[in-house]
Amino acid sequence: MRNSDIAISIKHLSKFYKTFQALDKVSFEVKRGDFFAFLGPNGAGKTTTINVLTGLSNYQSGDVRVFGHDVTSEYLRSRRLIGLCAQEFNFDPFLTIYQLLVYQAEYFGIPPWEAKRRANALLERFQLADKRQCKHRALSSGMKKRLLLCRALIHDPEILILDEPTAGCDLELKFLIWDYLAQLNKEGKTIFLTTHYMEEAERLCKTIGIINRGRIVRIGDKKQILQDKSLEDVFLEITGSE
Ligand SMILES: Nc1ncnc2c1ncn2[C@@H]1O[C@H](COP(=O)(O)OP(=O)(O)OP(=O)(O)O)[C@@H](O)[C@H]1O
Ligand SMILES: [Mg+2]
């Protein structure tokens, strides 16, 4: 398989926070066009892995690439390929949500007229158009989640990384997000999702990776992993016995 068919490649990744080892020789690949669920209990190392992938965290050893580009030495090239929907809200408090999206697009080199067009289209798509002149503080938590998605999508990235995108969302919003992600994946986007909702992973994903205490404990095709069990049972079996 050519490099470009592998969206994410992580080899022997180890990460320490001072003396605490958060990731221990993590290795796995995500293929172009995959819908990958990255599962694990609280504190397993999911967000840390995402932070390394998106250049937010350093790491002590390993080789981490996005479509063949090293996330450290080719930071700008690799980062541009990723849309990140982070676990925490981290918006500039002084900007309106419209400005926030336009600036994010311009940061990735999109010309102003196109940035404005995309910002308006995404705000419309995620039912935030009537809030476009508000600061993010004035949004409800579910609206902020939608704004995170808009920001992740504004530069039309190849890979979408979503760190618990539906945590705290009501049912209607959850279904809206699920439909949208399924559609994006159908259109060819590679999706990397972390979630604690097993139903979400089971419904949407093609491939599943499970991490526990900084180590990959299972990885493979969803159908192979599930066989005749529910994902919840598989998850509890693996993470409970570690
Ligand atoms: N900035 C930090 N400094 C020190 N330790 C950290 C830091 N960030 C994360 N950790 C530790 O690294 C481990 C992995 O954390 P991480 O946030 O990656 O977990 P997670 O799998 O995303 O969990 P959750 O499901 O709760 O979001 C945890 O033990 C956490 O306490
Ligand atoms: Mg996390």
Side-chain angles (χ1 to χ4, degrees), residues 129-144:
D130 58 334
K131 302 277 182 187
R132 65 198 290 282
Q133 297 306 341
C134 296
K135 310 249 166 70
H136 86 273
R137 273 193 313 274
L139 301 185
S140 77
S141 169
M143 290 171 187
K144 286 180 193 160

Side-chain angles (χ1 to χ4, degrees), residues 9 11 30 81 118 127 137 140 146 173 197:
S9 159
K11 288 185 186 142
V30 178
L81 294 164
R118 289 188 192 187
Q127 297 158 23
R137 273 193 313 274
S140 77
R146 280 183 263 159
L173 177 54
Y197 300 125

Side-chain angles (χ1 to χ4, degrees), residues 207-221:
T207 311
I208 287 170
I210 301 180
I211 184 168
N212 198 19
R213 297 184 199 169
R215 289 186 182 176
I216 298 293
V217 288
R218 183 72 65 90
I219 197 139
D221 183 75

